[in-house]
Amino acid sequence: MGKSYERIDGRLRAFIEAQHIFFTATAPLDGEGTVNLSPKGLTGSFAVIDELTVAYLDFAGSNAETIAHLRENGRITLMWCAFDGPPAIVRVHGRGEPVFRDDPRWAGLMRYFPDIDPSRHGLRAIIVVTAEKIRDTCGYAVPFMTYEEDRPLHGSRFERETDESLDAYFHKKEHVTTSIDGLPGLPLPLPPLPLTT
């Protein structure tokens, strides 16, 4: 039987932070619009900011559906599954916001990701989510799977990009500046990646 939580702390926080992958789901307001579901990984790219706030790094890719949906309506659900140990599924339903490179909050948020080199993955935004509903469910049907390691392909693909070439890459992709359903996506031109201190 599922249980609701008022905050992300204790055992719940430990479970979330121990997972190697999580999923994000967003949708436009238009009932005929495209629902988006994305897997997120890369060790160190997710952080619990406080008892009701989490954040993750949004890296270069061939679309920006999550960003577009959040810019339109802010709705997002994050989900973690236990692939080892006791069965569990945790969902955080809430409101998300993309924080872009030129936002004054950028430097403060990046401090939550000390193990990530932002220049290696074409980092384009930090997604900040405020939890409105936190629930777990049994996860009895989730299979056992073993984590081996992060794939190196994303870093090796994007570490050779400069801010200028990354901006050009995004301009070439059909669904980066505009979502599949025509919503505004990633704002371009891409601001320079702020220096980290």
Side-chain angles (χ1 to χ4, degrees), residues 1-3 5 11-23 78-92 134-145:
M1 191 62 103
K3 180 180 176 182
Y5 299 84
R11 182 184 59 80
L12 187 68
R13 177 174 179 163
F15 170 78
I16 287 173
E17 292 179 330
Q19 304 313 305
H20 297 285
I21 185 172
F22 65 98
F23 302 86
L78 291 80
M79 184 186 77
W80 296 262
C81 300
F83 294 111
D84 58 13
I89 298 172
V90 172
R91 290 179 181 88
V92 170
I134 306 161
R135 291 192 44 83
D136 69 6
T137 52
C138 68
Y140 289 170
V142 176
F144 284 113
M145 290 192 282

Side-chain angles (χ1 to χ4, degrees), residues 100-165:
F100 299 114
R101 292 172 164 205
D102 54 355
D103 191 297
R105 296 171 291 173
W106 181 275
L109 287 168
M110 279 305 298
R111 291 189 185 103
Y112 290 97
F113 307 97
D115 298 328
I116 296 292
D117 177 353
S119 66
R120 288 199 65 231
H121 295 277
L123 181 57
R124 58 189 186 180
I126 304 167
I127 306 299
V128 179
V129 178
T130 302
E132 295 179 336
K133 186 181 294 184
I134 306 161
R135 291 192 44 83
D136 69 6
T137 52
C138 68
Y140 289 170
V142 176
F144 284 113
M145 290 192 282
T146 304
Y147 169 79
E148 292 184 17
E149 61 185 10
D150 288 351
R151 292 180 191 263
L153 298 174
H154 195 275
S156 63
R157 162 62 185 89
F158 287 101
E159 67 184 350
R160 60 182 183 256
E161 300 285 356
T162 64
D163 288 337
E164 294 76 21
S165 66

Side-chain angles (χ1 to χ4, degrees), residues 19-83:
Q19 304 313 305
H20 297 285
I21 185 172
F22 65 98
F23 302 86
T24 66
T26 59
L29 292 177
D30 181 350
E32 299 298 314
T34 306
V35 175
N36 188 64
L37 177 65
S38 295
K40 303 294 179 185
L42 191 60
T43 301
S45 64
F46 172 83
V48 176
I49 305 298
D50 61 39
E51 293 177 337
L52 290 176
T53 312
V54 299
Y56 68 89
L57 301 180
D58 180 78
F59 298 115
S62 58
N63 63 49
E65 296 301 300
T66 301
I67 286 174
H69 296 161
L70 294 180
R71 289 182 70 189
E72 185 206 35
N73 62 65
R75 298 178 305 163
I76 188 168
T77 298
L78 291 80
M79 184 186 77
W80 296 262
C81 300
F83 294 111

Side-chain angles (χ1 to χ4, degrees), residues 167-189:
D167 183 76
Y169 169 84
F170 290 145
H171 272 96
K172 291 177 189 173
K173 296 298 179 182
E174 183 180 5
H175 297 300
V176 170
T177 60
T178 305
S179 78
I180 292 170
D181 300 308
L183 297 173
L186 182 70
L188 294 178

